[in-house]
Amino acid sequence: MREFYQGPPVAGQYRHAHSEPIRWILVKPLPHFIFYLGPVLTMPLGAWLAIRPGGTLLKSISRKTRFLLLVCGITGIGLILPVYIPPAHYSAMLTAAIYAIVLQGMRYLHLWKWNGQATGLFLVRAVPMVCLTLLPIRAAAGRLHIPVPVTVIHTSYTEDVHNTERAQVLRQLGREPGRHLVIVYYRPHHDVLREWVFNAADINGSKVVWARDMGAVQNKELISYFKDRYVWSLEADEKPPKLSPYSLVERDPTSFAHLKARTPDFK
């Protein structure tokens, strides 16, 4: 927890905001822009601003659209006030307004003609076609072996930072008989965003309980409290993470008789 608040996730953002406030303010809308619009949905908005069907930018924006822009603008100001960069879901309440503005831009764009040809209509039709083409490709990216970057910025073409390896360990232990205690070991420079230790609200009633390594003495106290559980050690920063029976527990060694030391298959 200390590393999270004193490290890059929190204190690092504060240092950036303090040293480069203008640049930091300009960066904050970027995750929201990428998540809700991206290059495909930006195209009709950019074309709308470029052609200005009403002659001027102000005339091309209807009164209802101005209200939507006002709502987005005021909310956007609120989103840039915090020191940290707010995630995209912080602006979820603007979803309807954002896409209403996009549709309004497409509405104006489809009337545009260039050299007598319905160029605007072609562009408007191209937007949903591109989206429908990209959707199955993105959904099947794993099976098609298409590399998908992992980022902390939520987009339709990247993956979030998820600890899928923890889920696989949890699934493996869930298939084993009895209840389990997993003591997790981190290396000094462990990525704090890849957390392993969190539990359900009913810790004592959980089939698997997770705990950080606290040293041999305190680990023994924890093991004594959960004396009816099989105890495991997990090297979280190994590639792949290594799960094995805890070796320092002072209990009947036959308690691990049916659970041989093994490394889970993380493929």
Side-chain angles (χ1 to χ4, degrees), residues 146-160:
I146 299 175
V148 179
V150 178
T151 66
V152 295
I153 298 178
H154 304 286
T155 72
S156 59
Y157 48 85
T158 61
E159 289 186 0
D160 293 342

Side-chain angles (χ1 to χ4, degrees), residues 43-66:
M43 186 271 292
L45 292 179
W48 175 25
L49 296 176
I51 62 178
R52 294 188 297 275
T56 64
L57 180 60
L58 186 60
K59 290 182 179 180
S60 67
I61 302 176
S62 67
R63 184 172 59 182
K64 293 181 179 179
T65 305
R66 291 176 196 171

Side-chain angles (χ1 to χ4, degrees), residues 169 172 232-235 238-245 260-267:
V169 171
Q172 174 186 326
W232 301 82
S233 64
L234 187 137
E235 301 288 342
E238 293 289 333
K239 299 296 181 183
K242 182 180 180 181
L243 179 70
S244 58
K260 297 180 180 179
R262 57 193 179 278
T263 300
D265 182 7
F266 291 102
K267 296 181 180 179

Side-chain angles (χ1 to χ4, degrees), residues 201-240:
D202 182 10
I203 296 179
N204 290 338
S206 301
K207 182 177 178 65
V208 179
V209 173
W210 303 81
R212 288 192 178 205
D213 168 52
M214 300 177 290
V217 175
Q218 289 183 294
N219 285 352
K220 288 179 181 179
E221 294 180 6
L222 182 67
I223 292 168
S224 297
Y225 180 81
F226 291 109
K227 56 182 178 295
D228 61 334
R229 294 176 179 266
Y230 299 105
V231 186
W232 301 82
S233 64
L234 187 137
E235 301 288 342
D237 294 319
E238 293 289 333
K239 299 296 181 183

Side-chain angles (χ1 to χ4, degrees), residues 88-264:
H89 66 268
Y90 277 38
S91 56
M93 61 284 190
L94 294 177
T95 302
I98 291 172
Y99 292 122
I101 294 172
V102 172
L103 290 174
Q104 187 72 345
M106 295 173 69
R107 175 173 170 265
Y108 282 118
L109 179 60
H110 96 282
L111 299 174
W112 178 52
K113 293 184 178 181
W114 187 50
N115 292 336
Q117 297 182 348
T119 307
L121 181 61
F122 169 78
L123 293 175
V124 168
R125 289 176 175 175
V127 170
M129 292 302 297
V130 171
C131 293
L132 291 174
T133 301
L134 293 177
L135 178 61
I137 295 176
R138 175 62 184 90
R143 294 186 176 275
L144 297 175
H145 303 289
I146 299 175
V148 179
V150 178
T151 66
V152 295
I153 298 178
H154 304 286
T155 72
S156 59
Y157 48 85
T158 61
E159 289 186 0
D160 293 342
V161 179
H162 290 304
N163 191 347
T164 56
E165 294 166 334
R166 181 187 184 277
Q168 293 174 16
V169 171
L170 185 61
R171 183 168 57 250
Q172 174 186 326
L173 294 179
R175 293 194 295 261
E176 299 287 355
R179 300 196 297 174
H180 307 271
L181 169 64
V182 181
I183 298 178
V184 180
Y185 293 81
Y186 292 137
R187 290 180 180 175
H189 301 291
H190 171 74
D191 182 0
V192 296
L193 296 179
R194 300 188 68 85
E195 183 57 67
W196 284 75
V197 181
F198 51 91
N199 294 287
D202 182 10
I203 296 179
N204 290 338
S206 301
K207 182 177 178 65
V208 179
V209 173
W210 303 81
R212 288 192 178 205
D213 168 52
M214 300 177 290
V217 175
Q218 289 183 294
N219 285 352
K220 288 179 181 179
E221 294 180 6
L222 182 67
I223 292 168
S224 297
Y225 180 81
F226 291 109
K227 56 182 178 295
D228 61 334
R229 294 176 179 266
Y230 299 105
V231 186
W232 301 82
S233 64
L234 187 137
E235 301 288 342
D237 294 319
E238 293 289 333
K239 299 296 181 183
K242 182 180 180 181
L243 179 70
S244 58
Y246 190 74
S247 60
L248 299 179
V249 58
E250 295 181 352
R251 56 160 59 189
D252 182 2
T254 61
S255 60
F256 293 111
H258 78 288
L259 292 175
K260 297 180 180 179
R262 57 193 179 278
T263 300

